[in-house]
């Protein structure tokens, strides 16, 4: 699916990191479930609902999670950021007020090599507040 998103549909928000499902940089929401797009075949999209980072903001306004990431400086190089935001959205869609422990557990499938996780966790907490 990641190749379809990036190379065919030109939706380049989902990033190719590890390409084996370990880093979460390619996270998207498929039928309400957070998935690594590098592990799903493009043919499996037929008839499914897909949310990508490109579709969560309004044309003139960022999604509240995106605002929270900016306000908390929860990004640096940006490679992992779309995956973290999609993971956070999937969490907050299911649990609008998660504990710090729940946030850290939920985001365990997303890796950041630049910033560490405290600012990211605070951003998700603020977005859920």
């Amino acid at each position: 699916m990641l190749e379809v998103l990036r190379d065919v549909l030109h939706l380049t928000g989902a990033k190719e990191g590890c390409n084996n499902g370990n880093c979460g940089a390619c996270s998207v929401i498929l039928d309400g479930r957070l998935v690594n797009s590098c592990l799903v075949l493009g043919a499996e999209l037929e008839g499914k609902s897909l949310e990508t980072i490109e579709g969560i903001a309004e044309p003139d306004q960022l999604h509240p999670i995106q605002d929270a990431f900016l306000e908390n400086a929860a990004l640096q190089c940006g490679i992992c950021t779309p995956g973290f935001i999609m993971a956070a959205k999937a969490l907050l869609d299911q649990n609008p007020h998660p504990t710090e422990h729940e946030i850290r557990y939920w985001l365990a499938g997303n890796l950041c090599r630049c910033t560490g996780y405290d600012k990211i966790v605070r951003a998700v907490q603020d977005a859920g507040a």
Side-chain angles (χ1 to χ4, degrees):
M1 176 193 331
L2 181 59
E3 290 176 5
V4 171
L5 292 174
R6 293 185 59 83
D7 299 340
V8 178
L9 300 174
H10 305 290
L11 298 173
T12 58
K15 306 297 186 213
E16 182 178 345
C18 65
N19 211 23
N20 63 18
N22 285 314
C23 74
C26 64
S27 297
V28 297
I29 300 173
L30 181 63
D31 275 350
R33 289 186 48 212
L34 182 67
V35 299
N36 293 315
S37 61
C38 68
L39 298 179
V40 179
L41 294 175
E44 295 179 67
L45 291 174
E46 187 171 338
K48 304 272 174 83
S49 170
L50 178 66
E51 293 179 75
T52 68
I53 191 71
E54 289 88 351
I56 68 168
E58 299 295 324
D60 59 346
Q61 184 175 5
L62 293 175
H63 188 278
I65 299 170
Q66 293 171 311
D67 278 333
F69 269 66
L70 287 173
E71 290 294 322
N72 286 280
L75 50 99
Q76 194 161 0
C77 80
I79 293 294
C80 67
T81 305
F84 270 105
I85 290 173
M86 294 310 294
K89 184 178 184 313
L91 170 61
L92 295 175
D93 285 349
Q94 292 182 14
N95 178 3
H97 305 291
T99 65
E100 180 178 343
H101 177 76
E102 290 168 329
I103 293 168
R104 290 184 184 276
Y105 183 80
W106 189 273
L107 298 179
N110 293 77
L111 302 178
C112 174
R113 293 173 177 88
C114 298
T115 63
Y117 298 91
D118 289 341
K119 292 178 180 179
I120 293 169
V121 170
R122 280 196 300 272
V124 177
Q125 287 173 316
D126 286 356

